[in-house]
Amino acid sequence: MLSNIIERIKLPFRKEKELYLALYDILGILPHKITYYKVALMHKSLGHRATAQELAVLEGKRGKVARKDKDAGDDGNVRNGRGGRKGRRNSSKYQDQNNKGGLGKQLNNERLEFLGDAILDAVVGDLVYQRYPGKPEGFLTNTRSKLVQRETLGKLAKEMGLTRLIMASGRSASHNNYMGGNAFEAIVGALYLDHGYDACMKFWKDKVMEKFLDIDRVAYKEVNFKSKILEWSQKNRIKLEYRLEDQTQDRNGSPKFVYTTVLEGVDGCTAEGFSKKEAQQLASEQTLKKLRNDMAFQDSIFAAKSARTQMEESPAVAAPDVEAENDIVLKNPSETPAASQGRGEDITSESAPQSRMHTMQAQRVAEAEQTVDALTLDDLTAEEQSREDIIAAAEAAAYSEK
């Protein structure tokens, strides 16, 4: 508290008063060493070369360079009259070396970004753990990852006014989402080096959660749209693909990707982004909204799925009987399909030979019955002839032939 009051007293005399005030509005605390925050706002596209003063602050040097500049403050202001001229001369010397690239070491916010990422994981993990005591590890991990992901941090940086403080070349201006998220992490790293862990915790609780972020809403909201649509497609056994439509560059030379979601061969939504992941995420988000609001689109997907599965799962059909198909002539004209149906019979090509055989047998039986019916008992005598009568009849027949 005392140090904060002292910094407020010094504020009117600061060389970079506007930057101090802007950071105070964002962080809720005045910086001690402004160099941390200036480096945190430097994007690598700026190509800034480190000065000896910056290196002394960032690397904690207490050597010859730091002693030469001891009469100058961290922001370059003179601390006493006796060393004022010397401090200004040294500061000008380092500035000239910086402009000419004398030190030769490029300085950007990547190291502070690395540190801030680790601090944010610890701070947010601590808060999530305390806020949801009964939740399992998977829920806590998922909630923390959604709170500290680059998209969320980029939106926070824009809403808090941090993006307008970033120093970068015009070529990278189109990547403000990623630059903002990276700068947010770097600022947290600078705040940790300047004020410690408790200041980072207070910043996240008082500035971020109270004014800009509803942690409960984020915790129960699904933001990984690609994972969500993949889960939906797997549950419904829908084939999901991402088709690359175009890969170009914008006027600043930044790459752009255009992707379309394809569900069972049916085109979904198309979106573009500055990375493949971003384009696929945006296309997935728009496709999920279309699936919920456009029933015709959803029906076309399931119709395509039904057609595909029917082709894949259709059973094999036995080959037809060629001989049975060619045997279309009836051997017996009286045996027609109509007559057979009248008797309750079902004549097919497979039972035709048996039918013809039964017909021939029936004809022979009928002829035999007619022969039996023609026989009479008139040719039979009532009693047998004697031997003498038979001989006499034979002799008479012999004489008559003569």
Side-chain angles (χ1 to χ4, degrees):
M1 181 65 70
L2 180 60
S3 61
N4 200 22
I5 295 175
I6 295 174
E7 293 296 336
R8 289 188 180 185
I9 296 173
K10 293 181 179 180
L11 182 60
F13 306 98
R14 294 292 187 187
K15 182 179 179 181
E16 298 172 318
K17 178 180 176 180
E18 293 183 358
L19 180 59
Y20 274 91
L21 290 174
L23 291 172
Y24 177 76
D25 291 337
I26 294 172
L27 302 175
I29 189 171
L30 284 171
H32 287 163
K33 296 182 179 180
I34 195 65
T35 301
Y36 288 137
Y37 304 92
K38 290 172 65 176
V39 175
L41 296 172
M42 291 179 185
H43 188 260
K44 63 181 180 180
S45 62
L46 189 64
H48 177 73
R49 297 293 176 179
T51 65
Q53 178 185 345
E54 289 171 341
L55 290 177
V57 174
L58 293 175
E59 300 178 5
K61 288 182 178 180
R62 294 294 182 267
K64 186 176 180 180
V65 174
R67 287 197 301 271
K68 284 183 178 180
D69 200 37
K70 65 181 179 179
D71 292 326
D74 179 48
D75 56 352
N77 291 335
V78 178
R79 293 187 176 180
N80 56 67
R82 187 178 61 181
R85 185 176 299 175
K86 183 178 180 181
R88 284 195 296 269
R89 185 167 60 250
N90 289 336
S91 177
S92 176
K93 176 183 177 182
Y94 298 143
Q95 187 66 32
D96 292 341
Q97 288 178 341
N98 176 44
N99 293 335
K100 297 178 181 179
L103 295 179
K105 185 174 183 180
Q106 189 174 7
L107 192 62
N108 55 58
N109 62 359
E110 290 182 347
R111 284 175 54 84
L112 287 174
E113 176 189 338
F114 163 78
L115 179 61
D117 181 42
I119 299 301
L120 274 178
D121 280 343
V123 169
V124 176
D126 189 355
L127 291 173
V128 170
Y129 180 84
Q130 299 296 335
R131 192 178 187 89
Y132 303 103
K135 294 297 183 179
E137 182 268 344
F139 174 85
L140 300 178
T141 301
N142 191 30
T143 301
R144 182 187 62 185
S145 65
K146 287 188 287 187
L147 288 170
V148 300
Q149 65 180 352
R150 295 297 172 84
E151 289 80 4
T152 303
L153 298 182
K155 292 179 181 179
L156 286 173
K158 184 177 180 180
E159 293 295 328
M160 299 175 77
L162 185 62
T163 53
R164 62 184 177 86
L165 301 177
I166 299 175
M167 295 176 287
S169 66
R171 173 184 174 88
S172 301
S174 58
H175 289 273
N176 280 336
N177 288 337
Y178 297 103
M179 287 173 57
N182 295 341
F184 189 97
E185 292 178 342
I187 283 290
V188 172
L191 182 61
Y192 172 75
L193 293 176
D194 195 23
H195 287 281
Y197 179 84
D198 291 339
C200 297
M201 176 69 75
K202 182 176 175 59
F203 160 67
W204 187 267
K205 291 174 65 176
D206 296 345
K207 287 294 186 177
V208 177
M209 289 179 55
E210 291 294 331
K211 296 183 178 180
F212 299 100
L213 195 61
D214 186 350
I215 188 173
D216 294 326
R217 184 178 178 182
V218 174
Y220 293 100
K221 181 181 179 181
E222 180 58 54
V223 295
N224 191 346
F225 301 105
K226 185 176 179 180
S227 175
K228 193 69 175 177
I229 196 173
L230 179 61
E231 180 182 358
W232 177 86
S233 62
Q234 289 177 347
K235 287 182 178 179
N236 293 279
R237 298 184 179 180
I238 300 294
K239 284 188 174 181
L240 172 64
E241 298 176 339
Y242 290 92
R243 185 175 66 236
L244 178 62
E245 302 288 357
D246 194 13
Q247 182 176 351
T248 58
Q249 292 183 343
D250 61 7
R251 58 185 181 181
N252 295 321
S254 302
K256 293 176 64 177
F257 301 88
V258 180
Y259 271 91
T260 299
T261 56
V262 183
L263 299 166
E264 287 292 346
V266 180
D267 288 354
C269 297
T270 303
E272 67 176 15
F274 293 109
S275 66
K276 294 180 180 180
K277 181 179 179 180
E278 181 183 5
Q280 292 176 1
Q281 280 282 359
L282 293 174
S284 300
E285 179 183 5
Q286 297 174 17
T287 303
L288 284 172
K289 292 179 180 179
K290 188 174 182 180
L291 283 169
R292 292 185 63 87
N293 301 325
D294 191 349
M295 296 305 299
F297 173 62
Q298 188 175 137
D299 292 340
S300 63
I301 294 174
F302 282 99
K305 174 198 171 184
S306 299
R308 174 181 61 83
T309 55
Q310 185 176 2
M311 293 178 59
E312 293 177 353
E313 299 176 2
S314 178
V317 179
D321 188 353
V322 179
E323 295 181 357
E325 292 291 333
N326 293 332
D327 190 9
I328 60 175
V329 179
L330 295 176
K331 295 298 181 63
N332 189 357
S334 62
E335 289 291 332
T336 61
S340 301
Q341 292 176 2
R343 293 194 302 269
E345 299 177 358
D346 184 13
I347 298 178
T348 61
S349 60
E350 296 174 348
S351 60
Q354 288 86 349
S355 300
R356 290 193 294 271
M357 182 176 65
H358 291 317
T359 302
M360 295 175 63
Q361 292 177 353
Q363 290 178 353
R364 287 195 294 270
V365 171
E367 292 176 356
E369 290 178 351
Q370 292 177 1
T371 304
V372 172
D373 293 339
L375 293 176
T376 61
L377 298 177
D378 296 340
D379 297 333
L380 300 178
T381 57
E383 54 183 15
E384 295 182 359
Q385 293 179 346
S386 62
R387 184 171 180 274
E388 290 80 6
D389 293 337
I390 294 173
I391 294 173
E395 290 178 351
Y399 282 117
S400 62
E401 292 178 358
K402 291 181 179 181

